[in-house]
Amino acid sequence: MAKKEAKEPKSIVNRKARFEFELHDTWEAGIALVGAEVKSVFNGRVNMTDAFCKVVDGELWLIQLDIEPYDHSSAFKPERRRDRKLLLHKKEIIMVQRKSQEKGFTIVPTKVYFKNGRVKIEIALARGKKHYDKREAIAKNDARRELERGHSDKF
């Protein structure tokens, strides 16, 4: 009998954050999940569109991260958009807090993934882009796509 292939966990990237913000420093943090939330993350049922991080009483919290409830879980289903604690060393939390207090900076999640069987989240120090920066990025992507199409037509 053939062995079943192991399902690869999905890595979820916050594309909107990369478009809306100019990312500076990044950190890898653990995330405190309960119940079947890990299964939902494994299946890629995460929406990071409105999520952000905040330091409260010396702890880093992830706010507005939407993890869809797992279909086959038991009666206990936690709230989808509850606040979740991020796990970082104390020194790292202090550094993140200091840097985020500079004018115009915020902390946003950029990626959720599995590492050594644990759910990790990549957070970044970000500064909002101006409207003209966004238009510039769109124009650059359009030009790149046109160039790729031109190359594919010739072959």
Side-chain angles (χ1 to χ4, degrees):
M1 187 174 220
K3 247 185 175 180
K4 274 189 173 179
E5 285 187 35
K7 194 174 172 187
E8 188 68 29
K10 295 183 179 177
S11 178
I12 300 105
V13 178
N14 189 354
R15 291 173 45 204
K16 186 174 181 185
R18 295 196 185 278
F19 179 72
E20 295 285 333
F21 298 100
E22 180 183 321
L23 304 179
H24 292 279
D25 297 335
T26 61
W27 293 273
E28 178 183 76
I31 182 170
L33 299 174
V34 295
E37 287 181 325
V38 177
K39 286 273 197 177
S40 291
V41 172
F42 187 88
N43 291 331
R45 307 297 216 147
V46 179
N47 185 359
M48 293 190 286
T49 305
D50 300 326
F52 63 98
C53 300
K54 190 179 197 180
V55 178
V56 179
D57 296 330
E59 296 178 335
L60 191 62
W61 290 87
L62 182 61
I63 300 166
Q64 293 293 317
L65 180 75
D66 184 14
I67 298 179
E68 193 175 304
Y70 185 61
D71 299 334
H72 305 293
S73 68
S74 62
F76 177 68
K77 292 186 180 182
E79 287 183 42
R80 290 175 71 134
R81 289 185 171 264
R82 69 182 183 85
D83 297 348
R84 293 171 177 88
K85 187 175 179 179
L86 294 181
L87 310 171
L88 278 175
H89 292 283
K90 195 72 164 174
K91 287 180 182 178
E92 289 177 315
I93 293 173
I94 291 168
M95 185 170 51
V96 168
Q97 183 178 18
R98 273 198 201 127
K99 288 187 175 186
S100 69
Q101 288 174 344
E102 292 178 26
K103 188 177 181 187
F105 280 110
T106 187
I107 310 163
V108 293
T110 55
K111 191 180 194 181
V112 177
Y113 55 94
F114 275 82
K115 183 177 180 182
N116 299 330
R118 292 192 160 89
V119 179
K120 298 291 182 177
I121 187 162
E122 182 181 272
I123 58 172
L125 190 66
R127 178 175 283 170
K129 283 185 183 177
K130 303 283 187 240
H131 187 65
Y132 57 83
D133 289 336
K134 293 178 194 175
R135 282 188 290 186
E136 200 173 282
I138 291 170
K140 194 182 293 183
N141 287 338
D142 288 344
R144 182 185 49 81
R145 271 191 229 112
E146 281 295 322
L147 189 64
E148 287 174 0
R149 276 193 213 124
H151 284 294
S152 64
D153 290 343
K154 291 179 183 178
F155 297 111

Coordinates of all heavy atoms in Angstrom, one line a residue, residues 1 67 69 71 78-79 81 92 94 105 114-115 117 119 121 124 130 133 139 143-144 149:
M1 N 0.8 -1.2 0.0 CA 0.0 0.0 0.0 C 0.9 1.2 0.0 O 1.9 1.3 0.8 CB -0.9 0.0 1.2 CG -1.9 1.0 1.3 SD -3.0 0.7 2.7 CE -4.5 1.1 2.0
I67 N -9.2 34.6 11.7 CA -9.0 33.2 11.5 C -10.3 32.5 11.5 O -11.1 32.5 12.5 CB -8.1 32.6 12.6 CG1 -6.7 33.2 12.6 CG2 -8.0 31.1 12.4 CD1 -5.8 32.7 13.7
P69 N -13.2 29.8 11.6 CA -13.3 28.6 12.4 C -13.2 27.3 11.6 O -13.6 27.3 10.5 CB -14.8 28.7 13.0 CG -15.2 30.1 12.8 CD -14.4 30.6 11.6
D71 N -14.0 23.7 10.3 CA -15.3 23.1 10.1 C -15.5 21.9 11.0 O -16.6 21.7 11.4 CB -15.3 22.6 8.6 CG -15.2 23.8 7.6 OD1 -15.6 24.9 8.0 OD2 -14.8 23.5 6.5
P78 N -13.5 29.6 19.2 CA -13.2 31.0 19.6 C -13.7 32.0 18.6 O -13.9 31.7 17.4 CB -11.7 31.0 19.8 CG -11.3 29.9 18.9 CD -12.4 28.8 18.8
E79 N -13.7 33.3 19.0 CA -14.1 34.3 18.1 C -13.1 34.5 17.0 O -11.9 34.3 17.2 CB -14.2 35.7 18.9 CG -15.3 35.8 19.9 CD -15.3 37.2 20.5 OE1 -15.0 38.2 19.8 OE2 -15.5 37.2 21.7
R81 N -12.2 37.2 15.2 CA -11.3 38.4 15.3 C -10.9 38.8 16.7 O -10.7 40.0 17.0 CB -12.0 39.6 14.6 CG -12.2 39.5 13.1 CD -12.8 40.7 12.6 NE -12.7 40.7 11.1 CZ -11.8 41.3 10.4 NH1 -10.8 41.9 11.0 NH2 -11.8 41.2 9.1
E92 N 13.1 42.3 22.7 CA 12.5 42.5 21.4 C 11.3 43.4 21.4 O 11.1 44.3 20.6 CB 12.2 41.2 20.7 CG 13.5 40.5 20.3 CD 13.2 39.1 19.6 OE1 12.3 38.4 20.2 OE2 13.8 38.8 18.6
I94 N 10.5 45.6 23.7 CA 10.9 47.0 24.0 C 11.4 47.7 22.8 O 11.1 48.8 22.5 CB 11.9 47.0 25.2 CG1 11.2 46.5 26.5 CG2 12.5 48.4 25.4 CD1 12.2 46.2 27.6
F105 N 5.1 55.5 12.1 CA 5.3 54.1 12.1 C 4.2 53.3 12.8 O 3.6 53.8 13.7 CB 6.7 53.7 12.8 CG 7.9 53.9 11.9 CD1 8.7 55.0 12.2 CD2 8.1 53.1 10.8 CE1 9.9 55.2 11.4 CE2 9.2 53.3 10.0 CZ 10.1 54.4 10.3
F114 N 4.3 28.1 9.0 CA 4.7 27.1 10.0 C 6.2 27.0 10.0 O 6.8 27.0 8.9 CB 4.1 25.8 9.6 CG 2.7 25.6 10.2 CD1 1.6 26.2 9.5 CD2 2.5 24.9 11.4 CE1 0.3 26.0 10.0 CE2 1.2 24.8 11.9 CZ 0.1 25.3 11.2
K115 N 6.8 26.8 11.1 CA 8.2 26.6 11.2 C 8.5 25.6 12.4 O 8.1 25.8 13.5 CB 9.0 27.9 11.6 CG 10.5 27.7 11.6 CD 11.1 29.1 11.8 CE 12.6 29.0 11.9 NZ 13.2 30.3 12.2
G117 N 6.8 22.9 13.0 CA 5.6 22.5 13.6 C 4.9 23.5 14.4 O 3.8 23.3 15.1
V119 N 3.2 27.6 14.6 CA 2.8 28.8 13.8 C 3.6 30.0 14.2 O 3.7 30.3 15.3 CB 1.3 29.1 14.1 CG1 0.8 30.3 13.3 CG2 0.4 27.9 13.8
I121 N 4.6 34.2 13.0 CA 4.1 35.3 12.3 C 5.2 36.3 12.1 O 6.0 36.5 13.0 CB 2.8 35.9 13.0 CG1 2.2 37.0 12.1 CG2 3.2 36.5 14.3 CD1 0.8 37.4 12.6
A124 N 6.2 43.5 10.8 CA 7.2 44.5 10.2 C 6.8 45.9 10.8 O 5.7 46.2 11.0 CB 7.1 44.5 8.7
K130 N 2.5 57.3 0.5 CA 1.7 58.4 -0.1 C 1.0 57.9 -1.3 O 1.3 56.9 -1.9 CB 2.6 59.6 -0.4 CG 3.4 60.1 0.7 CD 2.6 60.9 1.6 CE 3.5 61.5 2.7 NZ 3.2 61.2 4.0
D133 N 3.1 57.4 -4.3 CA 4.0 56.2 -4.3 C 3.2 54.9 -4.7 O 3.8 54.1 -5.4 CB 4.5 56.0 -2.8 CG 5.5 57.0 -2.4 OD1 6.1 57.6 -3.3 OD2 5.6 57.2 -1.2
A139 N 2.3 51.4 -11.7 CA 2.9 51.6 -13.0 C 4.1 50.7 -13.3 O 4.3 50.2 -14.3 CB 3.3 53.1 -13.2
A143 N 4.4 47.8 -16.2 CA 5.5 47.8 -17.1 C 6.2 46.4 -17.1 O 6.5 45.9 -18.2 CB 6.5 48.9 -16.8
R144 N 6.4 45.9 -15.9 CA 7.0 44.6 -15.8 C 6.2 43.5 -16.5 O 6.7 42.7 -17.2 CB 7.2 44.2 -14.3 CG 7.9 42.9 -14.1 CD 8.0 42.5 -12.6 NE 6.7 42.7 -11.9 CZ 5.7 41.8 -11.9 NH1 5.9 40.7 -12.6 NH2 4.6 41.9 -11.3
R149 N 5.0 39.8 -21.1 CA 4.2 39.4 -22.2 C 4.9 39.5 -23.5 O 4.7 38.6 -24.4 CB 2.9 40.3 -22.2 CG 1.9 39.8 -21.3 CD 0.5 40.5 -21.6 NE -0.2 40.6 -20.3 CZ -0.6 41.8 -19.8 NH1 -0.4 42.9 -20.5 NH2 -1.2 41.8 -18.7

